[in-house]
Amino acid sequence: MKILMVVSELSPYVKTGGLADMVSSLSRELVRNGNDVRALIPFYGSIEERWRRNMRPLASPLCVHMGQERWARVHETIERCGLHVYFLEHHHYFDRERPYDSCYGAYGDNGERFAFLCRAAIDLPSLIDWIPDVFHCHDWMASLVPVYLETVVRHGPLGNSASVLTVHNLEHQGYGDKSIVQMAGLPQWTFRPDGLEACGAVNFLKGGIYFANKLTTVSPSYGEEIKTAEGGFGLDGALRFRGGDIIGILNGIDCEVWDPATDSALAANYSSKNISAKSTCKSALQKMCHLDERQSAPLFGVISRLHWQKGLDTLCDAMEWILAHMDIQFALLGAGQWQLEERFRLLANRHSGKMFAAIGYDEELAHRIEAGCDFFIMPSRFEPCGLNQLYSLRYGTLPIVRATGGLRDTVQNYGNCEDCGTGFVFNDLTADAIRGTIRWACDTYHRAPAHMAAMIRRAMESDFSWSRSAIRYCECYRWALQSKS
Ligand code: ADP
Ligand code: GLC
C-alpha cells in the first residue's frame, strides 16, 4: 500500500514528545513489511544541519491551493530503510525554533500554519506523481486533510484515497477563527456542528473526527476513555457518534533505538539474559547526577514533559515527605510549565545527594535514566499510550504508573508473588496513593529480591515491538479503503 503520513514532528528530525517517535517507528515497520511509505513534515528552523545535508530540493516548487495560492519548496530525504521524508519549507510559517510555541505561549497563527501543512499534503501527490492509497493523519495538526479529501478534491485524482486519523492526545484540538475556513479554501458548509464548528470557532480535530474515513487511538483503553464525558475534552459526543469507526491500536517502540544491549549512551550494556551490568549504569547515573553512590538506595526516574497531563504536580506534593523520610533517590529530566520546573529545582536544592533535577531536553540523559534507575514513575492524569513506560520495561526499570489509558494496557500490577507483574499500578491521583505505591515498591526492592528479579526479566522480555500493531494499522488502512469504494 502507498501511505502518506502527515505529521507535525518526526524523529529524529524534530521531536517534542512521543508523537515523533510513534510515527517514525510505525513508518519504518510498515516499510519493512513491504509498503511504500512517505511522510510530510514542516521544515522547521530547528532542524539540524546534519539532517539538512541529506536533503535534496524537488525540482519544482509546490503550489499550495489555500483560498489564495501560496508557494513552498519541498526537500526530500530517503532514509536507509526506504522511508521518504518530505520537508515543507515556508519561511514565514515554519522557520521557527520550536514547532508550536515560543516562551510567550502557543503561536497565534498555528491554525493557519497547520492548515497550510494539510493543504500541502493534498497538493504534494501530483507534484511527485505518487497517489497515496491512504493519508494517515496525526492529531489536530493534520486534521484538515480528511476535510479536504471529502470536499474540494473528492472528484479529482485523490478521489479514491482514504484517510485515517490517529488521535494521540485529545487535549490539544487546534482552534482558530472561523475565517480559517475561507483562508484554507474549504467550503463554508464544513463550518457546522457536525464538522469544523465548535463554540463559534473552528476546531480542527473535530473536523477530522467527522470527516476521516476511520479513526484510531494509541491504546485500546484510551479508545474507550475518549468516548466518556470525563476523558472526551468536549468531543466525546462526536467520538461516540463515530464510535463504530474507531479502534485502539497500542503503540510499539523502536527496538533498535531503545535496546539496552546495544545502546551506546550507556556506561555498560546488558540484556535480560545477563542483567549484571545494569548496576554499572546505576552507579554511572548516580555519579553523573551527584547522588550518593549506593546500590542499596532504590533509584526512581522521571522523564517527562512537565505538563498538567502528566500528574507531576501531585508527585511533587508527595515528594517532600518521601525525600525527608525514606532512603530513596530521584533523577528527573523534564521541561515545560515553569511552576513545575521551579518546584522540582527547589526539591533538588533542598535534598542534594538524594534528588537530581535536570530541567531541559536531553536524549542521551533520557537513555541513561531509563537504564540506571530501578523504578520509573508515571502518575499521569490521562495517558493516551505513553512510550516511557515501554522504554522502562525494555530496560528492566520497573514502571510505577497510574491505571489510565495506555499505562493500564501495558503494565501488569505486581501481586506479591514471583510469577506476576511487570510494575506497580495505582488508581487515584493523590499524594497518598503515590506515597503508598513508592513505599510498596521499596519494600519489594528490599524484601523480595527474587520477585524483583523475576519481574525485571518479565518486563524486559515483554514484546512491545511494532510487529503486531503495524499489521493492525494495515488492516485499518484496508478498512478505510473499503469505506471509499
Ligand atoms: P508525551 O508524548 O505525552 O510527552 P510519551 O511517553 O508518549 O509522552 O513520549 C515522550 C517522549 O519524549 C519519550 O520518548 C521521552 O523519552 C521523551 N522526552 C520527554 N521529555 C524529555 C526530555 N526532557 N528530554 C528527553 N526526552 C524527553
Ligand atoms: C501523545 C500522548 C502519549 C503517546 C504519544 C504517542 O503525545 O500524550 O501518551 O504515547 O502521543 O502516541
Side-chain angles (χ1 to χ4, degrees):
M1 257 180 291
K2 288 191 269 182
I3 301 138
L4 181 63
M5 299 283 175
V6 187
V7 67
S8 56
E9 51 184 275
L10 186 75
S11 294
Y13 313 102
V14 54
K15 166 172 165 183
T16 70
L19 171 64
D21 283 357
M22 183 279 190
V23 182
S24 78
S25 52
L26 169 62
S27 302
R28 287 172 194 174
E29 181 73 16
L30 289 168
V31 171
R32 272 194 289 273
N33 293 351
N35 298 288
D36 183 354
V37 187
R38 307 189 180 199
L40 175 68
I41 68 167
F43 193 166
Y44 299 110
S46 58
I47 292 179
E48 290 173 22
E49 185 51 38
R50 61 182 160 142
W51 308 123
R52 293 178 186 228
R53 262 182 249 133
N54 299 329
M55 296 178 191
R56 65 170 185 87
L58 297 188
S60 316
L62 177 69
C63 180
V64 183
H65 295 89
M66 309 282 281
Q68 284 177 334
E69 286 183 355
R70 297 185 193 178
W71 292 86
R73 264 210 301 184
V74 179
H75 303 256
E76 182 183 19
T77 286
I78 305 176
E79 294 189 354
R80 229 176 311 153
C81 67
L83 173 70
H84 292 238
V85 184
Y86 297 98
F87 298 86
L88 180 66
E89 182 184 358
H90 190 283
H91 180 76
H92 175 67
Y93 287 143
F94 300 127
D95 192 11
R96 305 183 189 184
E97 266 312 294
R98 290 154 55 106
Y100 317 117
D101 53 12
S102 69
C103 55
Y104 302 108
Y107 299 128
D109 59 351
N110 274 346
E112 201 175 321
R113 297 170 72 224
F114 291 106
F116 183 74
L117 172 70
C118 292
R119 181 65 222 204
I122 297 292
D123 289 311
L124 179 68
S126 60
L127 183 74
I128 58 176
D129 197 17
W130 181 85
I131 303 291
D133 297 308
V134 177
F135 287 79
H136 188 166
C137 312
H138 298 269
D139 273 350
W140 75 265
M141 300 75 118
S143 281
L144 290 192
V145 172
V147 187
Y148 283 117
L149 284 175
E150 295 301 315
T151 58
V152 279
V153 297
R154 202 186 166 136
H155 300 293
L158 299 179
N160 295 323
S161 301
S163 62
V164 170
L165 171 64
T166 295
V167 178
H168 294 259
N169 192 329
L170 201 61
E171 187 187 0
H172 307 289
Q173 300 179 3
Y175 293 98
D177 186 78
K178 67 177 180 203
S179 60
I180 283 192
V181 176
Q182 193 187 1
M183 186 274 305
L186 284 166
Q188 275 305 325
W189 65 260
T190 57
F191 189 69
R192 61 185 201 193
D194 56 346
L196 284 165
E197 192 270 339
C199 309
V202 165
N203 180 318
F204 280 58
L205 191 61
K206 190 175 180 199
I209 289 171
Y210 276 108
F211 283 90
N213 297 119
K214 297 294 169 197
L215 297 152
T216 74
T217 60
V218 288
S219 70
S221 286
Y222 192 60
E224 294 306 315
E225 289 167 14
I226 57 174
K227 287 185 255 170
T228 66
E230 210 189 355
F233 286 97
L235 291 184
D236 44 301
L239 288 157
R240 282 194 298 274
F241 179 76
R242 292 298 315 268
D245 295 308
I246 304 178
I247 50 166
I249 304 177
L250 197 64
N251 283 344
I253 59 173
D254 188 325
C255 295
E256 282 171 20
V257 175
W258 294 94
D259 182 358
T262 55
D263 192 331
S264 60
L266 309 189
N269 292 110
Y270 60 93
S271 67
S272 64
K273 304 275 176 298
N274 183 2
I275 186 100
S276 57
K278 185 164 166 61
S279 59
T280 312
C281 297
K282 179 169 175 177
S283 304
L285 182 67
Q286 285 173 322
K287 190 167 185 171
M288 184 182 169
C289 299
H290 313 291
L291 299 169
D292 301 337
E293 283 177 56
R294 286 190 300 120
Q295 286 292 329
S296 61
L299 175 50
F300 291 72
V302 175
I303 303 165
S304 185
R305 288 186 290 122
L306 303 181
H307 184 273
W308 177 84
Q309 174 194 344
K310 302 293 178 181
L312 296 170
D313 46 334
T314 314
L315 176 67
C316 258
D317 297 342
M319 272 174 63
E320 190 63 69
W321 185 92
I322 291 172
L323 286 164
H325 294 91
M326 293 175 68
D327 180 25
I328 67 172
Q329 300 181 342
F330 274 97
L332 172 133
L333 167 63
Q337 284 165 358
W338 68 265
Q339 295 92 334
L340 274 173
E341 291 183 354
E342 209 43 44
R343 286 185 75 184
F344 282 116
R345 260 198 210 106
L346 276 173
L347 275 173
N349 285 345
R350 269 206 296 272
H351 300 276
S352 60
K354 287 183 92 172
M355 158 101 200
F356 170 80
I359 303 301
Y361 191 90
D362 185 336
E363 291 271 349
E364 209 158 84
L365 181 56
H367 284 245
R368 291 178 181 159
I369 291 179
E370 287 291 6
C373 291
D374 299 296
F375 301 99
F376 192 91
I377 311 180
M378 291 179 79
S380 305
R381 283 200 165 75
F382 70 94
E383 195 61 74
C385 179
L387 297 179
N388 271 315
Q389 84 280 14
L390 304 181
Y391 302 148
S392 304
L393 289 164
R394 188 152 165 80
Y395 280 62
T397 301
L398 300 181
I400 296 179
V401 302
R402 181 161 172 263
T404 180
L407 301 177
R408 181 201 293 278
D409 292 344
T410 53
V411 181
Q412 295 163 21
N413 201 6
Y414 171 55
N416 283 319
C417 58
E418 198 165 322
D419 52 9
C420 67
T422 53
F424 298 83
V425 183
F426 61 96
N427 286 306
D428 301 328
L429 183 57
T430 61
D432 265 352
I434 293 178
R435 257 195 309 262
T437 315
I438 287 181
R439 256 212 183 126
W440 182 28
C442 285
D443 278 353
T444 312
Y445 179 86
H446 290 299
R447 304 215 179 114
H451 293 191
M452 281 290 296
M455 273 205 281
I456 291 172
R457 202 174 326 107
R458 231 181 344 265
M460 292 184 77
E461 287 173 359
S462 316
D463 178 10
F464 290 110
S465 69
W466 270 106
S467 51
R468 261 170 300 174
S469 296
I471 292 172
R472 299 212 56 210
Y473 270 106
C474 285
E475 288 164 3
C476 178
Y477 298 150
R478 279 193 284 273
W479 188 35
L481 281 164
Q482 272 163 22
S483 60
K484 291 292 283 194
S485 54

